[in-house]
Amino acid sequence: MSARSGKVTVVGAGFYGSTTAQRLAEYDVFDTVVLTDIIEGRPEGLALDLNQSRPVEGFETRVVGQTTTPDGAGYEATEGSDIVVITAGLPRKPGMSRMDLIETNARIVRSVAENVARHSPDAVVIVVSNPLDEMTALTQLATGFPRRRVLGQAGMLDTARFSYFVAEALDVPVGVVQTLTLGSHGDTMVPVPSRCTVEGKPLADVLPADRIDELVARTRNGGAEVVALLKTGSAYYAPSAAAARMARAVHDDAGAVMPVCAWVDGEYGISGVYLGVEAEIGREGVRRVVETELTDGELAGLREAAEAVRAKQADVKDL
Ligand SMILES: NC(=O)c1ccc[n+]([C@@H]2O[C@H](COP(=O)([O-])OP(=O)(O)OC[C@H]3O[C@@H](n4cnc5c(N)ncnc54)[C@H](O)[C@@H]3O)[C@@H](O)[C@H]2O)c1
């Protein structure tokens, strides 16, 4: 049996946070998973429930639940975390855009980030609260952490959705489909068809262009499609799978390359913005942004996305 190590905290024990904690615990590679929320008793109850699943699922990672307050009571339980996943904040309701959440979630994420920095000054922080790019930038400001130690989850999810839609359209296993999306989470998501393959063949050789465009549009709208069906909240199975994989990549320190929201400093001719790009992930967070070859059109799309999120990120310091 391999040795377990490290402590990972998931802030926010709603749908996203609790499923992320479950996935992280079931990996059985961490010593401890801490789950927190401001709803009295919820994280403790979920942790107890998750621990009781250990004999059935056969994992030894301990799950600790802790109620916290916005001013920081209870954060002692998170002390010295190696990784913190921030899921605290409101999700969308049908008809809402992610940007409609910005003021409320900025207040929540700022206070969470300050408490995290106080208790886990060396942590790598993975942000998932929406609007994602802005909340990632705000977390970096509020923690004061080096930029490589603060990253956001969006690209893994958008890419997974795109891959699933392609696999479904062609009736092939998801495992033979490779896709990539860069840019921002939302309207400025940039699909990269030139990097998409099915059984090694370019996507453009196996699907007509108008069909690819439809799947791209469905991917861009992927979160809203789930929100419209659920009516009371947003997606969490695929999102938690994405965030948990990122946390695991930090833990494993093997240099996994994945699409994440990372600080871009000169790559693709873009500087000074958190943006969805591929990055090599390790114990220190983002080891480096990995530049991939893009067509002129894809590069133009990525630069456009960068300018769109830059304007919004500049405002987060005032929120
Ligand atoms: N990045 C992505 O790809 C992606 C995908 C899906 C959802 N999201 C976002 O993730 C966030 C969480 O979604 P959800 O479905 O879990 O929502 P949810 O309402 O089920 O859970 C949010 C939880 O945060 C808690 N919370 C609020 N303030 C807190 C604080 N100060 N400290 C600790 N906990 C606090 C709430 O009590 C609640 O339990 C939302 O902002 C949603 O938009 C992001």
Side-chain angles (χ1 to χ4, degrees):
M1 191 176 291
S2 64
R4 281 165 216 89
S5 62
K7 176 172 177 175
V8 52
T9 289
V10 180
V11 180
F15 286 113
Y16 199 145
S18 55
T19 42
T20 301
Q22 177 188 356
R23 292 184 190 284
L24 290 170
E26 288 181 354
Y27 287 155
D28 205 15
V29 300
F30 293 97
D31 269 334
T32 312
V33 174
V34 182
L35 181 61
T36 73
D37 204 288
I38 52 169
I39 300 176
E40 170 84 51
R42 181 172 171 85
E44 288 84 351
L46 290 172
L48 185 58
D49 193 8
L50 276 168
N51 280 320
Q52 290 167 358
S53 76
R54 283 166 47 193
V56 184
E57 285 298 321
F59 63 91
E60 297 294 343
T61 296
R62 284 175 57 244
V63 185
V64 175
Q66 176 67 50
T67 301
T68 57
T69 64
D71 58 12
Y75 269 81
E76 312 79 58
T78 71
E79 198 76 38
S81 295
D82 303 288
I83 304 165
V84 177
V85 184
I86 300 182
T87 78
L90 301 187
R92 284 192 283 173
K93 296 207 171 75
M96 279 176 99
S97 85
R98 293 183 179 92
M99 285 312 285
D100 292 336
L101 302 168
I102 193 163
E103 289 198 6
T104 309
N105 282 357
R107 268 195 303 280
I108 293 171
V109 168
R110 181 184 283 280
S111 84
V112 167
E114 287 169 358
N115 288 317
V116 165
R118 216 164 288 136
H119 291 274
S120 300
D122 301 319
V124 171
V125 183
I126 298 168
V127 181
V128 310
S129 311
N130 272 320
L132 190 271
D133 307 279
E134 290 75 14
M135 293 306 108
T136 306
L138 176 61
T139 298
Q140 192 280 323
L141 277 177
T143 54
F145 285 2
R147 291 183 174 114
R148 67 173 184 283
R149 279 209 276 126
V150 179
L151 57 163
Q153 187 299 114
M156 287 278 284
L157 172 62
D158 291 333
T159 297
R161 284 177 171 155
F162 193 18
S163 292
Y164 165 67
F165 292 144
V166 169
E168 193 194 38
L170 291 167
D171 196 19
V172 296
V174 289
V176 303
V177 178
Q178 191 86 45
T179 66
L180 180 63
T181 65
L182 301 176
S184 159
H185 195 40
D187 298 341
T188 39
M189 184 193 94
V190 182
V192 187
S194 71
R195 282 278 311 274
C196 299
T197 57
V198 178
E199 283 170 329
K201 294 190 218 73
L203 184 58
D205 290 1
V206 293
L207 270 179
D210 58 341
R211 198 68 188 100
I212 296 175
D213 289 346
E214 276 170 33
L215 299 183
V216 165
R218 193 171 175 199
T219 303
R220 194 168 271 137
N221 194 44
E225 185 178 351
V226 176
V227 170
L229 289 164
L230 295 180
K231 295 177 190 74
T232 52
S234 60
Y236 48 95
Y237 284 118
S240 63
R245 277 290 149 184
M246 287 170 63
R248 179 154 187 181
V250 175
H251 170 275
D252 291 353
D253 196 29
V257 174
M258 39 183 67
V260 301
C261 176
W263 184 255
V264 178
D265 191 16
E267 295 85 2
Y268 301 108
I270 300 167
S271 283
V273 66
Y274 269 102
L275 187 66
V277 286
E278 281 187 295
E280 194 179 300
I281 307 298
R283 186 144 297 165
E284 65 275 37
V286 172
R287 286 185 186 169
R288 67 186 182 97
V289 170
V290 178
E291 273 186 89
T292 187
E293 204 162 310
L294 300 178
T295 64
D296 290 348
E298 291 161 353
L299 183 59
L302 188 60
R303 291 192 173 143
E304 222 173 278
E307 293 323 308
V309 293
R310 186 193 303 282
K312 282 286 168 198
Q313 285 177 20
D315 295 339
V316 295
K317 62 179 187 323
D318 305 319
L319 291 171

